[in-house]
Amino acid sequence: MSEPAAPTAPPRYFQVKLALAELIAGLDRGVSLPPERQLAEQLGTSRTTLRKALAELAGEGVLRRTQGSGNFVAPPKVVHVRQLSSLTDDLKAEGMQASSQILGLQRVRAEAAVAEHLEIAPGERIHLLTRLRLVDGEPLAIEEAHLPGALPRLEAHLTEKGSLYAAMRDCYDRVVHSVEDTVETALATPHQAELLGIATGQPLLLVHRTSRDEAGNVIEWTRSVYRGDRFRFVARA
C-alpha cells in the first residue's frame, strides 16, 4: 500500500499574505505600512511576491492602496442593511454621516432598457440624477437614479431634505413601499476609479434597485456602484 502524498505547501505569496494579515491585525486603521522594499526584506520575499499579496489584501478591503502614498490599514467595511429607507438613514443608524455631491441632474427621454425597468413607454421624459455618495466625507458609491414623472424643483428639495427618499415622500407624496435589489460584481473603470479615489480595476459591487409605491407603481430604478473595500451588502427578510 502506497504512502499518502505529503500535503502541498501553500504558494509563497499566500504565506506572505498571511504574514501581512497578522502584521496588519496589530495596527490601527489608517496607519501606513512600511515601504515595499522594507516589507520585502522583513518578510524575506521578493517585491513581486509582496505586491501580489498586497493586491489581494487590497481587493479584500484589508488594505487601501494609494498611488504615490503607499499602503494603509483600511477602516472597517460599511454595512448597508436593505430596508425601506435611504442610505442616509441606514448609515445614520450606524453612527455614520452620509452626504452626497450631485454630479448631474437632467430631464431626459427614457431609453428602452430604462423604460422597461420603470414600466413606462420608451421615450417618456424622466429625471436622471447622478450623485457621488460619501460616508464620513469619503467616497463610497456612484449612484444613478432614474425617476419617472414630473418632479418640479427636485434639486432644491433634494438639497433641503438631504435624502432622495425624504424629498420624494415629503415633497411629491411618493413613498417607497417595497424594493427589489440585484447585486453583481464589476471592476472600476478609470472614470469611476477617479471619482471613488481607488485604483482602476478595483472590485466594485453593482447594485440595481427597483422601488415601488403602495399601489405597485415603480417610482425609482437606480444603478449604483459601491467600493468593494468599503461596502458589504446584507439582506434581511
Side-chain angles (χ1 to χ4, degrees):
M1 190 172 188
S2 59
E3 297 257 346
T8 304
R12 177 60 182 152
Y13 90 90
F14 189 75
Q15 297 176 43
V16 173
K17 177 183 172 182
L18 293 178
L20 282 169
E22 186 175 350
L23 171 66
I24 292 165
L27 300 175
D28 293 330
R29 68 180 187 176
V31 170
S32 174
L33 268 62
E36 288 185 3
R37 184 185 300 276
Q38 183 180 332
L39 269 178
E41 292 176 356
Q42 180 180 336
L43 298 174
T45 190
S46 69
R47 293 179 73 177
T48 300
T49 300
L50 175 69
R51 284 170 181 161
K52 185 173 182 180
L54 289 170
E56 283 208 0
L57 289 170
E60 293 169 6
V62 178
L63 285 178
R64 292 177 57 193
R65 310 189 75 184
T66 305
Q67 189 156 359
S69 300
N71 299 286
F72 301 84
V73 180
K77 288 194 174 185
V78 174
V79 178
H80 178 199
V81 179
R82 195 188 83 172
Q83 56 191 47
L84 301 182
S85 62
S86 66
L87 179 63
T88 301
D89 292 334
D90 290 342
L91 294 175
K92 185 183 292 185
E94 296 177 26
M96 290 175 279
Q97 180 66 46
S99 58
S100 301
Q101 293 178 10
I102 296 178
L103 303 177
L105 177 56
Q106 302 169 277
R107 190 85 163 128
V108 301
R109 294 192 181 278
E111 298 177 355
V114 174
E116 184 177 356
H117 285 291
L118 293 176
E119 299 177 359
I120 60 175
E124 281 194 28
R125 287 197 172 274
I126 63 169
H127 280 89
L128 172 58
L129 172 64
T130 306
R131 295 185 292 171
L132 179 65
R133 309 304 305 274
L134 304 100
V135 55
D136 293 338
E138 182 179 27
L140 173 67
I142 304 166
E143 178 186 277
E144 295 179 347
H146 303 79
L147 309 164
L151 299 169
R153 301 186 65 243
L154 175 58
E155 185 169 359
H157 290 313
L158 187 58
T159 300
E160 176 193 355
K161 298 295 181 179
S163 161
L164 176 60
Y165 281 12
M168 297 279 279
R169 180 189 65 236
D170 298 342
C171 305
Y172 307 105
D173 196 27
R174 298 188 186 184
V175 180
V176 175
H177 181 74
S178 65
V179 297
E180 177 180 293
D181 295 308
T182 61
V183 185
E184 306 171 41
T185 57
L187 299 178
T189 65
H191 178 63
Q192 291 169 339
E194 183 179 1
L195 288 173
L196 294 173
I198 58 176
T200 299
Q202 188 164 318
L204 301 174
L205 280 180
L206 171 60
V207 181
H208 292 102
R209 167 171 286 196
T210 303
S211 303
R212 298 177 183 271
D213 62 17
E214 191 170 9
N217 301 309
V218 178
I219 59 176
E220 168 204 29
W221 178 67
T222 300
R223 179 185 185 277
S224 304
V225 286
Y226 289 84
R227 286 175 51 165
D229 64 338
R230 294 287 286 124
F231 183 80
R232 181 184 297 117
F233 192 90
V234 179
R236 290 182 180 168

